[in-house]
Amino acid sequence: MVNPIYLFGVSIGIAFLFSLIDKAGRKVSIAVLMLTLGFFLYTSLCYLLHFIGGKETIQVFTAGFNPPYSINLQLGLYESVFISMINGVGFLSALYLLQKFQQGSVKPLILFLMAITGFNGIVMTRDLFNLFVFIEVSSIAIYSLVSLDENEKSYAAGFKYMIAGSFASIFLLIGTIYLYRYSGTLNLFGISDFNAGKIEITATFFLFMALFIEIKPFPANGWAMDVYESTNPAIAAILSGASIAAAFFALYKILIIFAGIWYTVTLWIGVLTFIGSNLFALNQSNAQRTLGYSSLGQVGLAMMILGMTPLLGEDMPYILFGVLITHFFAKTGLFWLSGLIRGEDQKSWAQFKNSRWMLFFLGTFFFALIGMPPFPSFFAKWSLILKITAMGNSMMAVLILAGSFIEAIYLFRWFGYAVKLETPEQPEQIKYEKNKMLPIVVAMIGLYFFGIYSEHFYNSGISLDYLPIVFIALFFLFDFLPNRIKAVFALLAMGAFTWQTLPAQSGLPLIFNSIFLAGGLVTLIATFATSQKRPGFFPLAFIMFLGLSGLTTSDNMLSFFIAWEFMTIGSYLLILRGKKSMPHALSYILFSLGGAYLILLAFSLAVSWNVKDGLIIQKALALSNLGTIEGWLHPIVWSLAIIGFLTKAAGFGLHIWLPGAHSEAESDVSPLVSAILLKAGIFGMMMIMIHMGSASIPIADSGISLNYILGWIGAITAVIGTMGALFQEDAKRLLAYSSIGQLGYIIFGVALMTKFGWILAILYTVIHFLYKSTLFLGIGGMYARTHTKNMYEMGGLIKKMPFTFTSILIAIISLAGIPPLIGFAGKWMTYNSVLESGWYFQGIMVLFAGFAAFLYCYRILFGPFLGQPKDQLRNVKEASIFMLIPQYIFVGVLLYLSIQPEFLFQYVSSTISQFPVLKGEPLLWVNHVAQTSYGYWNPVLIMSVVGGSFLIVLLWLYFWVHNTHKVKQFNIVYSGESPYLPETTHYSHNFFASYRKAMGFLYALVAEKFWEWMSDAIHTIGDQGRRIYTGNGQTYAFHILIFMIAVYLFVMGGF
Amino acid sequence: MQEIIIKIGWVALTLFIVLNYGLLLRAFMMKIVARIGRRIGIPFYQMYINLFKAYSLRTHIFHGVMYYLGPVFRLTGGVGMLLFLPVIFKDPRFANFSASGDLILVLYFMFFGTLGMALGAGEGGHPNAAIGVTRGLSLMSANEIPLTMSVLAVAIQYNTFDIVKIVEAQQGGFLNWVMFANPLAFITGVLGLMGSFGYGPFAVIIAPQETPIGPPTEYEGNYMGVLELNRSIFPGAKLILFMNLFLGGATSWPILVVKTFFFYLFFVLVGAVFPRYRTEQAVRWFIKVPLLIGIIALIVTPMLK
């Protein structure tokens, strides 16, 4: 092993020699620089491996003396982690800067080397004055490097940095002087025993102030934003990766010595920084500045974790590592990416939108920052939230989730720009230089590597099945193949996965997973319909299916939550593929994420309850443990989880993302997200209720039943969704709203907590999947031919597309609940449930929604298919056979279920009879007749009577009417006029105008207005807040002063 | 097998009786309306003449398959609804196929014909037909609110959806009829029904006195004949249903005739007196007073049990 002291010797020596070396040519200088940095990196990685092996920490004393006469360096596991990070980003950033280093003088090379050396020193030194020296060394180098790009903005930024840095240096020096005066040593080991009463507080106060300023705490960090905004991306990466890591480690070293109130101070500065930075970032448009805000936000989070050391105990290092390593790779990666872009605005990142790999990198970095699986931050946040909730500090968990959510808002918005922003001109061609790509690739690999590493480290007891993930990766790699070839493999893979998964399941998981997997399999047939390349479609679809299936196979909160997040990621990206789906995908992911955080909170509260009984966290994670919760916590956990799942099931108030997201998605994605994905929310709700039963707020004698409230939510959702559907012109939007309405029935059924209610819910889950898939595929197939989704622009297509019409007709009759098709069973169960439960008014609303649904049912048949054909659509053909096949499979199942529903009902009944939480009487089948104590229903007889009557009437008509005269278009009884324009003869636009006059108030978009107001409010706060950053150095100095006074008052406990 | 044939025979007889009753009933009602308007009105056999005329036309047009099937759906809807009803209480000969399902089945099967007809009318391509459909559907979704509340109230009262059981519970004197035993449910139901019979003030769907409008605009000749059959059977079936629900059912055909005649007369008289609402006015009307009474009925009924 190299003695760490040589690192400094080598670098200082080479820095001095650079002026000389440069005489031999810049290339030589650069080679020397890279070699030196490479040597640093190599050495630190060697140390890292060394210490991971469990070796003892190394202490180095200069000149052979003991402290206080010598300088003391320490190198252990933590130090080696941090110097590996610092040297890694140093090496890669230097690589990234090759072209820059080639130009101008040799000075930047010297400065660069000195900065990295300084950071290494900050991490290793155990001597206070030496710490000051290294901070100065690195700071002075950075002040100048900030202006590497030599523009006015960066000069100003560098100068402002210098002002702030001087404050830090002075404070550090004052603190050091005091400490030395009273403890007689500068060595950190010696200082730890020192006790000098009030003087100690003064001394440590200055010391910490210096370190806090180096870390750039909110709100005294305006100067740092200016630096991030204006400097070269590679330098920004250094600042965000190396500089912060070094400062953070310095804080850590000092903090564990002085502990006490400083943990609290660090915690609250962390909270302020985390939430404040993210809030202020909301209204940013400059890419690098936003990254700066986000960087400081992440540092805030890290400070929170550090501040909670007393709470987190031995878990702290792991959690902190997860957050820091994610921040490190993702943020440096993003800064490096920003250097490839021409333009400073976030919107200019749309230049990446045609490059699959760049979007992959971008997605990786963004999802990692937000804390999605499989990245280390996910596991870190999961354990953090769980641990602090278990320790009884759920308030802090809420703050962390709130901050993370705000961060997600702007990151996802930005990601949307990169993927989908419509740019007026063709995006500029980006030059991908190898030396700039390599660092980005390394950052990406690092994230995945540490993600998998974290999962093992956490040792959660769950086993992730890597085989499907390998498949997904393969699909991504072979994405260049033609669509239909990929589709064949996709069907095979999906078939195999289904075959492997379904037979092993039973009960509720089997019912839902059949919808997820078998349903997905059939829907995937539709992907053959297009011959376009469809980059990324299959891997994303598989991520979603993997998540969906994972939900049904998990018995553990962590694996359930991972599956939930996978599903969310996959579906979000699928929705984002739609042409105009950018804003809708954003609102989808934000609602989903909000929901996920609520679920996480619910889970962590559940764990905290069980941990109280002495269970260790890993054991407490079983989903069945939800059932043990009692008292006040029960309704809280229940509501959090149910609201979380309602975001996915589009309950009223949380539904506003749905119409846009489902209607703007691609033709074969819409059925996936609308008919299949929504059911995940229902599954979640059912899981919660199976384990936790019904809930009520324990005030008054009998309490306020939360199920009753949920029943109302279901009823309102049904009405709102249906009303929305009535007044849409866009067929897919109509179907999307209709899904909201139908989900309302299901939510109502689930809320009932009776056997009838659940049969109702599960029945609708199954048949809504069948007919809504058919409808979306039907409309999708039509769209491919007509290129419009507006119903009034079509008309008379029944003669061109008879097969599509027939499948849609059958689906619509099922949806409307008209006997003899299976939809009627839903209505019948609804009436029985209402009568049994006594929830008459909710029931009336649900039933009214059912009647009003006839209106849109008719509209979607009439608008496109009946009435007058349009001139421009005279030559359209029947929809693609590949769109029709899945439709007819679904229609076949619908018809089969209409004749033989008993099989499904029996299976559902026997499944739910295992859940003791469900009250009420069971549904009986006697001689193929469904019976309850209220009524009966004989599907076979109904089918025979209706079929027989229909046939007889048809024969009757045929007997009288056979020699018919086929009339042409416009040959209608028209009061003496002769119509000639289909546009004026096809009555389809604003179809239910008079109904709207009377009932339009029910389509009031209250929820939409509420969320708009909410979003405006948050953005306004962020926007007004960030105005304190005037760009003036004096103002920034003033901020630091105020910050200092505030911290002082906090530490002293007031005036 | 023999059983089935006998059953079908009885069913056919029921159908025949109801059809003729319906034809006569409609003619009588038109005559009454005419007399209110101080006109002489049509002869009581006018509907037979109409049918004869319709079936005698020799030319037929064809707009498409759905257009052709529209009247089939319509009549199947009417016939089917009747077939699912027990017509005469405690008389198995006229119980039809009521073993297929309960009240809910009958209520929802009403829409079978509505939807089919609307589709057929749609393929006819006449804008007035489509406008008629939108009016009809709008009105229907509104009048179903009080109607459903009323049906639910009756079901709550007797704790069943089985029509026979509901009729059974109303036996033993007219005071046991829902009409008197639960007047709020009855009033709600009647107000709801007003919208569904197509008389004023809710006659906007077909709007008899205007230029041809409404779903049947494009239907003439034998198509019209099929629709005419349904116009007699469907209201008959509806009347029988609500007689069962509100008026204690009927133990014989004469009682059935008396009850349904006067029940129907009410709607006709209201229609003869009140002017027609526009669609949105009609829709609004249903969500005001009838809705309010319905809510009260649903609150009060559970207490009556």
Side-chain angles (χ1 to χ4, degrees):
Chain A
M1 281 289 153
V2 187
N3 188 325
I5 201 105
Y6 289 126
L7 289 180
F8 304 106
V10 167
S11 74
I12 292 171
I14 290 193
F16 276 120
L17 287 175
F18 258 134
S19 316
L20 256 156
I21 297 169
D22 205 43
K23 304 280 183 217
R26 181 59 53 81
K27 285 206 170 130
V28 181
S29 313
I30 293 176
V32 171
L33 175 72
M34 294 312 297
L35 277 175
T36 317
L37 291 171
F39 166 69
F40 277 26
L41 179 60
Y42 171 76
T43 316
S44 42
L45 286 176
C46 285
Y47 274 121
L48 183 61
L49 291 175
H50 177 76
F51 289 117
I52 286 176
K55 300 282 165 43
E56 265 187 38
T57 305
I58 299 173
Q59 298 288 347
V60 179
F61 301 98
T62 50
F65 295 110
N66 280 340
Y69 305 106
S70 77
I71 294 170
N72 168 207
L73 298 179
Q74 175 176 308
L75 194 53
L77 179 63
Y78 295 165
E79 282 87 357
S80 62
V81 168
F82 275 83
I83 61 168
S84 299
M85 280 160 64
I86 289 166
N87 293 326
V89 68
F91 180 80
L92 293 171
S93 273
L95 190 66
Y96 191 92
L97 283 170
L98 280 187
Q99 288 89 344
K100 199 82 200 173
F101 284 152
Q102 202 74 49
Q103 310 150 1
S105 79
V106 72
K107 287 172 194 156
L109 280 72
I110 304 173
L111 292 169
F112 196 92
L113 192 57
M114 288 326 293
I116 300 296
T117 313
F119 296 142
N120 276 295
I122 296 173
V123 173
M124 283 191 270
T125 184
R126 307 295 294 181
D127 182 282
L128 260 187
F129 184 72
N130 195 227
L131 179 68
F132 167 75
V133 171
F134 279 124
I135 287 182
E136 283 301 292
V137 168
S138 59
S139 299
I140 291 168
I142 288 289
Y143 299 153
S144 321
L145 277 177
V146 163
S147 318
L148 185 67
D149 281 352
E150 298 183 21
N151 56 42
E152 199 176 325
K153 254 173 145 184
S154 64
Y155 285 135
F159 188 70
K160 286 177 234 170
Y161 194 175
M162 213 186 300
I163 298 176
S166 320
F167 271 105
S169 306
I170 293 165
F171 292 154
L172 186 59
L173 217 48
I174 297 175
T176 310
I177 291 167
Y178 270 114
L179 283 171
Y180 185 62
R181 166 72 181 76
Y182 287 94
S183 68
T185 179
L186 287 169
N187 192 283
L188 289 180
F189 293 111
I191 288 174
S192 54
D193 311 325
F194 141 91
N195 186 0
K198 283 212 163 172
I199 290 295
E200 181 187 343
I201 295 180
T202 315
T204 46
F205 173 74
F206 278 109
L207 203 56
F208 275 106
M209 278 313 297
L211 293 170
F212 286 147
I213 293 171
E214 284 294 333
I215 288 182
K216 313 172 182 76
F218 175 86
N221 56 6
W223 49 276
M225 298 306 166
D226 293 353
V227 171
Y228 277 120
E229 180 182 339
S230 56
T231 189
N232 185 293
I235 302 301
I238 295 272
L239 280 171
S240 178
S243 163
I244 285 181
F248 195 80
F249 194 78
L251 176 67
Y252 165 74
K253 276 193 289 200
I254 307 286
L255 194 58
I256 49 172
I257 292 172
F258 293 102
I261 187 151
W262 291 106
Y263 275 127
T264 321
V265 176
T266 310
L267 170 64
W268 283 102
I269 293 177
V271 171
L272 256 184
T273 308
F274 184 46
I275 295 187
S277 300
N278 284 326
L279 196 63
F280 283 17
L282 275 179
N283 274 34
Q284 293 302 328
S285 57
N286 180 293
Q288 274 188 222
R289 197 176 174 94
T290 316
L291 287 178
Y293 274 108
S294 164
S295 279
L296 298 187
Q298 295 284 331
V299 171
L301 180 61
M303 283 176 82
M304 285 173 80
I305 298 169
L306 198 57
M308 284 188 284
T309 309
L311 204 64
L312 297 171
E314 57 184 18
D315 286 341
M316 193 282 286
Y318 159 63
I319 295 173
L320 186 61
F321 176 74
V323 169
L324 277 183
I325 199 78
T326 309
H327 163 74
F328 171 74
F329 281 121
K331 210 49 70 60
T332 51
L334 283 170
F335 273 118
W336 287 325
L337 272 177
S338 79
L340 299 177
I341 299 275
R342 237 165 286 165
E344 293 177 346
D345 198 84
Q346 289 171 5
K347 289 184 177 168
S348 56
W349 285 49
Q351 290 165 25
F352 286 141
K353 82 176 166 188
N354 293 331
S355 163
R356 183 164 57 103
W357 282 102
M358 298 314 283
L359 289 181
F360 176 66
F361 294 143
L362 207 57
T364 304
F365 297 146
F366 275 130
F367 282 108
L369 278 182
I370 289 155
M372 292 284 193
F375 301 109
S377 50
F378 169 79
F379 295 98
K381 263 187 198 165
W382 167 267
S383 8
L384 175 62
I385 300 288
L386 239 55
K387 183 79 188 187
I388 56 178
T389 319
M391 301 306 283
N393 201 344
S394 47
M395 204 49 230
M396 209 45 86
V398 172
L399 284 176
I400 291 173
L401 292 178
S404 305
F405 185 75
I406 299 174
E407 186 174 18
I409 297 177
Y410 64 84
L411 288 181
F412 275 123
R413 183 172 56 205
W414 186 358
F415 184 63
Y417 290 152
V419 182
K420 266 283 131 56
L421 189 74
E422 298 278 337
T423 39
E425 66 268 14
Q426 200 60 22
E428 288 185 48
Q429 204 60 40
I430 299 173
K431 245 170 58 192
Y432 296 112
E433 284 143 327
K434 281 189 193 119
N435 68 313
K436 292 193 175 173
M437 290 309 296
L438 186 73
I440 299 170
V441 174
V442 170
M444 184 271 295
I445 295 173
L447 280 173
Y448 284 101
F449 173 78
F450 281 103
I452 295 166
Y453 176 78
S454 309
E455 201 268 317
H456 282 291
F457 191 91
Y458 189 67
N459 191 17
S460 51
I462 57 161
S463 56
L464 272 186
D465 190 0
Y466 284 103
L467 191 67
I469 297 175
V470 171
F471 265 101
I472 293 171
L474 280 178
F475 269 102
F476 186 78
L477 284 177
F478 288 97
D479 207 37
F480 57 87
L481 290 173
N483 179 54
R484 286 189 178 141
I485 296 177
K486 284 187 289 187
V488 171
F489 284 107
L491 278 186
L492 288 176
M494 187 75 181
F497 187 56
T498 311
W499 186 253
Q500 181 204 350
T501 316
L502 286 188
Q505 289 183 306
S506 65
L508 209 56
L510 176 63
I511 297 172
F512 276 88
N513 215 9
S514 304
I515 295 177
F516 298 154
L517 291 185
L521 181 65
V522 177
T523 311
L524 277 184
I525 297 175
T527 55
F528 280 100
T530 169
S531 53
Q532 292 160 353
K533 236 180 186 168
R534 316 196 73 198
F537 172 80
F538 289 104
L540 299 178
F542 282 127
I543 292 176
M544 184 180 85
F545 287 127
L546 191 64
L548 283 168
S549 170
L551 289 180
T552 64
T553 50
S554 2
D555 52 358
N556 165 308
M557 293 180 206
L558 177 58
S559 53
F560 188 93
F561 194 67
I562 291 180
W564 186 264
E565 293 286 52
F566 264 116
M567 171 197 73
T568 304
I569 296 172
S571 53
Y572 160 67
L573 293 172
L574 276 181
I575 290 173
L576 191 56
R577 291 177 49 82
K579 255 189 201 143
K580 293 178 187 159
S581 58
M582 190 180 81
H584 308 295
L586 179 63
S587 85
Y588 168 66
I589 188 68
L590 291 182
F591 273 97
S592 294
L593 205 65
Y597 285 164
L598 292 181
I599 296 168
L600 175 57
L601 215 51
F603 282 176
S604 54
L605 285 170
V607 169
S608 77
W609 175 271
N610 287 296
V611 166
K612 206 181 63 185
D613 292 346
L615 274 178
I616 58 163
I617 284 188
Q618 267 80 351
K619 283 263 164 58
L621 278 175
L623 277 172
S624 54
N625 279 336
L626 285 166
T628 58
I629 303 170
E630 285 164 10
W632 262 100
L633 198 61
H634 185 270
I636 292 173
V637 170
W638 192 94
S639 326
L640 284 172
I642 293 292
I643 295 172
F645 289 120
L646 275 181
T647 57
K648 192 69 76 179
F652 171 68
L654 305 169
H655 68 281
I656 65 159
W657 55 272
L658 191 145
H662 287 190
S663 62
E664 293 302 338
E666 293 168 299
S667 298
D668 48 1
V669 173
S670 296
L672 292 181
V673 292
S674 200
I676 298 179
L677 183 71
L678 289 176
K679 307 299 163 27
I682 300 299
F683 182 72
M685 285 166 68
M686 286 187 158
M687 291 307 279
I688 292 296
M689 295 203 194
I690 289 170
H691 293 302
M692 300 185 72
S694 19
S696 55
I697 304 171
I699 47 175
D701 285 343
S702 53
I704 298 168
S705 167
L706 288 172
N707 280 69
Y708 190 70
I709 295 172
L710 185 64
W712 271 109
I713 292 176
I716 295 171
T717 310
V719 172
I720 294 290
T722 309
M723 283 298 145
L726 294 185
F727 305 126
Q728 304 303 321
E729 304 295 344
D730 175 330
K732 280 178 79 174
R733 226 177 154 80
L734 182 156
L735 291 179
Y737 268 108
S738 146
S739 283
I740 299 178
Q742 305 273 315
L743 263 287
Y745 304 166
I746 304 179
I747 295 170
F748 172 76
V750 174
L752 281 168
M753 288 303 275
T754 58
K755 295 198 172 68
F756 285 175
W758 277 43
I759 292 176
L760 159 75
I762 296 174
L763 177 72
Y764 266 120
T765 301
V766 174
I767 61 174
H768 172 255
F769 148 68
L770 289 169
Y771 54 66
K772 201 45 72 68
S773 299
T774 310
L775 289 170
F776 266 117
L777 287 169
I779 297 296
M782 253 162 56
Y783 176 70
R785 297 288 189 245
T786 61
H787 306 293
T788 177
K789 291 184 286 181
N790 287 333
M791 290 174 285
Y792 62 86
E793 288 179 19
M794 299 181 247
L797 290 177
I798 180 174
K799 294 190 178 67
K800 311 280 178 196
M801 305 184 171
F803 291 102
T804 305
F805 174 77
T806 312
S807 69
I808 289 190
L809 175 65
I810 293 171
I812 282 292
I813 295 179
S814 307
L815 190 159
I818 298 173
L821 296 191
I822 181 74
F824 170 68
K827 303 290 175 200
W828 189 73
M829 286 311 304
T830 310
Y831 273 92
N832 279 289
S833 309
V834 171
L835 198 54
E836 185 195 43
S837 63
W839 293 12
Y840 305 128
F841 293 104
Q842 293 102 312
I844 288 293
M845 284 178 73
V846 169
L847 292 169
F848 162 66
F851 294 123
F854 285 126
L855 275 72
Y856 70 71
C857 283
Y858 180 67
R859 188 171 190 187
I860 203 158
L861 285 167
F862 174 79
F865 291 106
L866 306 174
Q868 303 289 343
K870 298 284 158 56
D871 291 333
Q872 67 272 25
L873 299 179
R874 294 216 187 279
N875 296 321
V876 294
K877 288 195 287 264
E878 175 61 89
S880 158
I881 179 83
F882 296 110
M883 290 303 246
L884 289 173
I885 292 173
Q887 286 178 51
Y888 275 85
I889 294 176
F890 292 133
V891 163
V893 179
L894 272 176
L895 290 177
Y896 173 77
L897 284 179
S898 303
I899 301 166
Q900 290 290 349
E902 195 180 341
F903 159 74
L904 176 67
F905 273 92
Q906 295 280 30
Y907 190 77
V908 172
S909 297
S910 72
T911 299
I912 62 173
S913 65
Q914 298 157 8
F915 308 138
V917 288
L918 299 181
K919 307 282 179 293
E921 60 169 294
L923 176 69
L924 298 176
W925 285 82
V926 184
N927 293 329
H928 310 296
V929 180
Q931 287 191 336
T932 68
S933 61
Y934 309 106
Y936 55 96
W937 166 56
N938 185 342
V940 181
L941 188 58
I942 293 175
M943 194 55 106
S944 322
V945 172
V946 176
S949 320
F950 191 86
L951 211 63
I952 292 171
V953 177
L954 184 63
L955 287 174
W956 170 263
L957 187 68
Y958 185 74
F959 174 74
W960 291 99
V961 183
H962 38 268
N963 284 329
T964 52
H965 172 64
K966 264 192 196 170
V967 290
K968 296 217 170 93
Q969 189 176 10
F970 300 128
N971 192 345
I972 51 178
V973 189
Y974 209 67
S975 311
E977 269 187 76
S978 167
Y980 61 98
L981 266 181
E983 281 75 12
T984 51
T985 321
H986 186 50
Y987 176 76
S988 184
H989 188 265
N990 200 5
F991 201 52
F992 292 112
S994 46
Y995 196 69
R996 189 166 192 165
K997 275 187 203 156
M999 301 290 250
F1001 69 92
L1002 289 173
Y1003 177 52
L1005 303 178
V1006 184
E1008 282 80 353
K1009 281 187 191 132
F1010 169 76
W1011 288 113
E1012 207 168 288
W1013 175 83
M1014 194 81 169
S1015 155
D1016 274 356
I1018 295 176
H1019 277 85
T1020 310
I1021 292 170
D1023 192 42
Q1024 293 298 326
R1026 79 191 170 101
R1027 283 163 199 250
I1028 63 165
Y1029 298 148
T1030 56
N1032 185 326
Q1034 288 183 339
T1035 317
Y1036 293 149
F1038 180 67
H1039 290 164
I1040 293 175
L1041 195 66
I1042 298 279
F1043 175 74
M1044 198 173 141
I1045 293 170
V1047 174
Y1048 183 76
L1049 290 177
F1050 187 86
V1051 174
M1052 302 304 286
F1055 288 97
Chain B
M1 193 63 201
Q2 198 183 358
E3 245 176 67
I4 296 175
I5 292 172
I6 294 173
K7 182 87 189 169
I8 290 175
W10 284 114
V11 167
L13 179 64
T14 315
L15 207 55
F16 181 75
I17 298 174
V18 173
L19 170 66
N20 286 290
Y21 172 54
L23 289 168
L24 291 171
L25 186 65
R26 283 174 61 215
F28 269 110
M29 291 302 170
M30 287 182 82
K31 209 165 169 64
I32 291 170
V33 172
R35 289 297 164 90
I36 293 171
R38 306 209 168 184
R39 290 177 279 116
I40 294 175
I42 53 172
F44 70 90
Y45 49 83
Q46 179 66 45
M47 294 300 164
Y48 292 94
I49 300 174
N50 288 356
L51 269 186
F52 183 74
K53 187 197 110 187
Y55 281 101
S56 312
L57 291 178
R58 272 165 296 180
T59 56
H60 306 103
I61 55 166
F62 181 76
H63 277 293
V65 178
M66 208 56 229
Y67 168 82
Y68 190 89
L69 290 180
V72 180
F73 271 98
R74 191 71 178 139
L75 185 55
T76 310
V79 171
M81 184 181 166
L82 183 64
L83 296 193
F84 291 135
L85 275 174
V87 177
I88 304 292
F89 178 58
K90 282 207 168 153
D91 189 340
R93 294 171 302 175
F94 300 107
N96 290 338
F97 294 109
S98 58
S100 304
D102 48 28
L103 178 58
I104 315 302
L105 170 69
V106 183
L107 286 176
Y108 275 81
F109 197 69
M110 285 205 265
F111 305 119
F112 185 85
T114 312
L115 182 69
M117 179 63 192
L119 292 174
E123 201 180 14
H126 202 298
N128 286 354
I131 291 170
V133 172
T134 67
R135 291 175 173 185
L137 288 175
S138 305
L139 201 55
M140 181 211 80
S141 91
N143 74 38
E144 284 293 340
I145 303 176
L147 207 52
T148 311
M149 290 176 127
S150 150
V151 166
L152 198 58
V154 174
I156 294 167
Q157 194 174 3
Y158 301 119
N159 210 28
T160 183
F161 289 119
D162 189 336
I163 300 174
V164 177
K165 283 188 187 158
I166 291 174
V167 175
E168 196 171 8
Q170 300 180 63
Q171 299 305 307
F174 69 91
L175 282 179
N176 286 349
W177 298 357
V178 169
M179 186 176 169
F180 300 106
N182 190 353
L184 284 172
F186 174 70
I187 294 170
T188 318
V190 168
L191 295 181
L193 270 177
M194 275 169 47
S196 86
F197 276 115
Y199 286 97
F202 306 101
V204 77
I205 308 168
I206 308 238
Q209 289 88 349
E210 290 175 9
T211 47
I213 190 170
T217 308
E218 276 294 299
Y219 287 105
E220 275 307 325
N222 290 324
Y223 297 114
M224 200 62 201
V226 173
L227 293 180
E228 278 291 315
L229 290 181
N230 183 64
R231 282 181 186 177
S232 300
I233 295 174
F234 189 50
K238 236 186 318 192
L239 284 171
I240 294 171
L241 170 65
F242 287 97
M243 174 196 72
N244 280 335
L245 286 188
F246 299 135
L247 306 177
T251 45
S252 67
W253 284 103
I255 293 179
L256 182 142
V257 169
V258 173
K259 282 186 179 175
T260 52
F261 182 85
F262 284 102
F263 194 51
Y264 197 42
L265 186 62
F266 170 76
F267 299 105
V268 175
L269 291 181
V270 171
V273 174
F274 287 99
R276 185 186 303 148
Y277 274 142
R278 287 208 311 258
T279 316
E280 63 270 20
Q281 292 169 327
V283 170
R284 279 194 203 116
W285 188 82
F286 282 110
I287 56 168
K288 284 178 187 162
V289 175
L291 179 68
L292 197 67
I293 301 175
I295 291 174
I296 299 170
L298 280 181
I299 295 171
V300 171
T301 309
M303 302 173 190
L304 291 177
K305 273 163 79 171

